[in-house]
Structure formats: structure tokens, C-alpha cells
Amino acid sequence: MAKVTILGATGNVGIFAAHTISEIPYVSDMLLVGRPGREDFLAGCCRDLSDSFAARGTDIRLSYSTNLADTKDSDIFICTAGMPRQPGQDRNDLAFENAKIIAETAETIGRSSPDAILFLVTNPVDVMTAVALKYSGLQPRQVFGLGTHLDSMRLKSLIARYFRVHVSEVHTRIIGEHGESMVPLWSATTIGGIRINHLPTFSGLPAQEMIDTVRTSGEAIIRDKGSTVYGPGEAIATLVRTILGDENRILTVSSYIKSEIHGIGDVCIGVPARINRNGVFPVPLSLEEDEVAGFKESVVKIRKITAEVMERLEAAR
Ligand SMILES: NC(=O)C1=CN([C@@H]2O[C@H](COP(=O)(O)OP(=O)(O)OC[C@H]3O[C@@H](n4cnc5c(N)ncnc54)[C@H](O)[C@@H]3O)[C@@H](O)[C@H]2O)C=CC1
Ligand SMILES: O=C([O-])CC(=O)C(=O)O
């Protein structure tokens, strides 16, 4: 059984993630962490969630805190703390402001919970994963971000609708940045176990339109309803279940790669990784030429933003 701590629990994604994670049978304790001054709101969240646990018959010890010192025995931290983007902003516009929050938080967690897993949701998630890895001092397997898992789910849903099949029949992946330079892996896309380009209807597939829809999905939801919540909240729960259940699923998350993909590495970015109770392990891959080219471009972009943020963080210390 495990203790799960949610940082940024008073936010839209954090509180819905608390709800989705509470359905995971391996969770015995849940700690909601918010900023000082938010005690009443956190207390209200605990009462409200407890009612839902009772209605569902879930038995989880739920508590809240505004002090990181209380997080000590956590097995897994989910970090949703930080600014969300506003309509018209790019996720990368948040990089430095959110990096300051993540660096400070990760430093404390690394010192007080050296065996924990640290799961980043805060955007831009690839850069935040690198910042958390550096400032926590944890091992690469212990630190990862939601990466392109949600993007992969969005593409899966579009493909399933196009071919009129159940979503569980579709396997697909998007790798690279959780952002503009994301790269769809059509070579790794199957429907009912059959490679998508072996299906007669493949020639009519509006592939570019689909990937454009995925690319702009977060932006469109934020424009229409203020924030993305249900997609990320469920995606977060999938990852937490995979870890705590030691499931060894291969999901596409932001992880530190050394050189696993065509010799490309030294960056935190969305890649397929085997995930279990010990953490996240990128899977070496062989891709099509155009996919490698797209991935390289994405890596160059994320490396540059990450380096700039790291430099500014060091200068600000
Ligand atoms: N990677 C992904 O796929 C997704 C990432 N996100 C990201 O998750 C983050 C949270 O999004 P929302 O919950 O919608 O935002 P929100 O504004 O509703 O919540 C943000 C939370 O961060 C906390 N926070 C803000 N500044 C802080 C500081 N200086 N120190 C500590 N805590 C602080 C707030 O108190 C609040 O609890 C954003 O960065 C957003 O872009 C959101 C959805 C999907
Ligand atoms: O778009 C955003 O800013 C939130 C996010 O990352 C997503 O839902 O994909």
C-alpha cells in the first residue's frame, strides 16, 4: 500500500487527480498539499472527497498540509503546482516562473524522500522534468513527466472515431515535446493489432488534420472552458496505477534519455518507457527516417529551452 502526495492540490488538475487516484486500490494514504493561506480550501476538499470515498466504499486516509515537511513518507509525488497558460500563451511561456517553483520543491523532496517517485504535470512538462531531476538529485528512473501520454490518448481517440472501432483496439504514440514539435509515430500505430498503413482505408486518413487537432487540443479546451482537467486527471491516474501496481506497461512519458533513440539523448522528453514500481525506463527504439528527423528537431528545441531555464535558475540563486 502506498502514500500518494499531490502538490498543487487546490488547483483544477490537482483536485481532480486526487479523485481519480482515490480509485486506485493500492493507495492507502493521500496527502493534499497547497500553499500557506489555503488551509480552509484544503480542509473543504478533504471533507468533500471523504464524502465521495464513503459513497464509493473507499477506505483511504486523507489529510492536507501546507508544509512540505509533512510529505516525508510519500511513495509518489504528483506535482501539479504552478501557473497554467492563459488563452494565447504557449506552454513554454511558463517555463521560468514554474521552474522556480519546481526547483525549490524538488530540492526538498530529494532531501526528505530519497526513495520516492516524482511525477511532474506542471508545464512545460519536459522542461519541468529536467529541472526536477537536477534539483531533486534523484535518479532518472525516479523522475518523469506526463509528457506525450495525454497527446497519445487524444490521437488514439481520433483514430478510433475515424475507423469506428473501440479505443482499446487502437495503439498509437506521440513522442517528443508535449507541445508544438510533438511527433506522431504512425509506424507504431495499430488497429486491432494490424499496422494502420496495412488497412485499405488508411489512404484516406486525414493524418495531418488529426495531429493538428491534437497539437491544439489543450489550447482549444482552455479557450472554451478555462482549463483541461478530465483528460489530464485520468491520464495521471493511469500512470499512478501503472507504478503502484508494478504493471510494466509501456506508456509515453517525459523521461531522461541518454541515447536510447537513434543515439539521441541527454534530454528529458516524451518517449515510450516501461513503467513499474521502481520507476520509469525508456525503451530503445528504431524509427522511420521522417520520425527520427522530427524527433531530433523536438529534442533540439527542448534542450535549448531547458538550458536557458537552467542558466536563469542558477543566476537567480
Ligand atoms: N502536462 C500536461 O499534460 C498538463 C499540464 N498541466 C499543467 O498543470 C499545471 C496546473 O494546472 P491547473 O491545475 O489547471 O492550474 P491551477 O491554477 O488551477 O492550479 C495551480 C496550482 O498551483 C499552485 N501554485 C501556483 N503558484 C504556486 C507557487 N508559487 N508555489 C506553490 N504552488 C503554487 C496553486 O495554488 C494551485 O494549487 C499548469 O502548469 C498546467 O499547465 C495541466 C494539464 C495537463
Ligand atoms: O494545454 C495546456 O496548457 C494543458 C495541457 O498541457 C494539456 O491539456 O495538454
Side-chain angles (χ1 to χ4, degrees):
M1 297 304 271
K3 173 172 170 179
V4 176
T5 289
I6 301 178
L7 309 165
T10 60
N12 288 311
V13 176
I15 196 60
F16 182 63
H19 181 72
T20 58
I21 291 166
S22 71
E23 305 204 48
I24 300 170
Y26 319 106
V27 179
S28 55
D29 296 79
M30 187 184 284
L31 176 63
L32 307 183
V33 178
R35 282 189 285 180
R38 300 291 279 155
E39 290 80 1
D40 288 350
F41 190 86
L42 286 162
C45 288
C46 280
R47 278 195 288 271
D48 196 10
L49 278 171
S50 294
D51 290 349
S52 82
F53 296 175
R56 199 203 294 146
T58 300
D59 192 15
I60 291 178
R61 278 183 295 276
L62 182 64
S63 54
Y64 70 88
S65 175
T66 55
N67 185 351
L68 274 183
D70 293 334
T71 66
K72 229 166 60 83
D73 311 317
S74 308
D75 297 288
I76 174 161
F77 288 83
I78 294 125
C79 184
T80 66
M83 306 289 288
R85 62 174 162 160
Q86 300 303 315
Q89 272 190 313
D90 185 273
R91 295 181 184 96
N92 290 315
D93 295 338
L94 311 168
F96 182 56
E97 285 311 310
N98 283 347
K100 287 192 284 190
I101 301 168
I102 300 302
E104 199 184 325
T105 308
E107 234 171 13
T108 307
I109 291 172
R111 268 199 309 271
S112 59
S113 304
D115 298 322
I117 297 216
L118 177 48
F119 174 7
L120 281 302
V121 178
T122 309
N123 272 322
V125 71
D126 301 299
V127 180
M128 295 306 115
T129 305
V131 169
L133 179 61
K134 174 173 175 184
Y135 285 88
S136 66
L138 297 175
Q139 296 175 43
R141 68 172 171 82
Q142 293 173 277
V143 182
F144 76 101
L146 188 53
T148 42
H149 176 63
L150 179 56
D151 304 300
S152 301
M153 293 305 104
R154 286 171 173 155
L155 182 58
K156 181 187 179 100
S157 156
L158 293 175
I159 294 172
R161 251 183 280 161
Y162 180 82
F163 285 97
R164 296 220 202 144
V165 295
H166 193 274
V167 279
S168 64
E169 293 298 329
V170 180
H171 278 267
T172 192
R173 288 186 194 283
I174 290 179
I175 60 170
E177 178 193 8
H178 174 53
E180 283 298 307
S181 67
M182 64 178 68
V183 183
L185 296 188
W186 295 109
S187 67
T189 302
T190 59
I191 297 175
I194 301 157
R195 268 185 75 164
I196 194 167
N197 59 351
H198 291 180
L199 294 167
T201 37
F202 176 69
S203 58
L205 185 82
Q208 190 55 45
E209 203 179 294
M210 281 182 174
I211 189 66
D212 288 344
T213 302
V214 173
R215 231 177 236 129
T216 53
S217 203
E219 184 187 322
I221 296 168
I222 289 170
R223 192 180 56 234
D224 290 344
K225 71 174 275 284
S227 59
T228 66
V229 172
Y230 303 111
E234 293 293 347
I236 292 167
T238 300
L239 267 308
V240 173
R241 188 181 294 109
T242 303
I243 292 166
L244 298 182
D246 202 23
E247 288 180 354
N248 280 302
R249 287 188 70 186
I250 295 177
L251 299 169
T252 318
V253 294
S254 190
S255 179
Y256 177 77
I257 48 167
K258 273 203 296 274
S259 61
E260 286 84 345
I261 303 199
H262 287 262
I264 306 163
D266 195 24
V267 68
C268 288
I269 202 158
V271 289
R274 190 165 57 85
I275 302 174
N276 59 34
R277 198 69 174 77
N278 292 320
V280 163
F281 304 89
V283 176
L285 273 191
S286 180
L287 304 172
E288 302 285 327
E289 236 173 73
D290 59 328
E291 294 167 344
V292 179
F295 185 64
K296 270 189 187 152
E297 244 175 66
S298 198
V299 164
V300 168
K301 177 181 175 186
I302 292 301
R303 258 206 214 120
K304 181 166 180 285
I305 300 170
T306 305
E308 282 166 6
V309 165
M310 296 290 193
E311 208 173 291
R312 286 182 70 187
L313 278 177
E314 284 305 306
R317 287 189 149 233

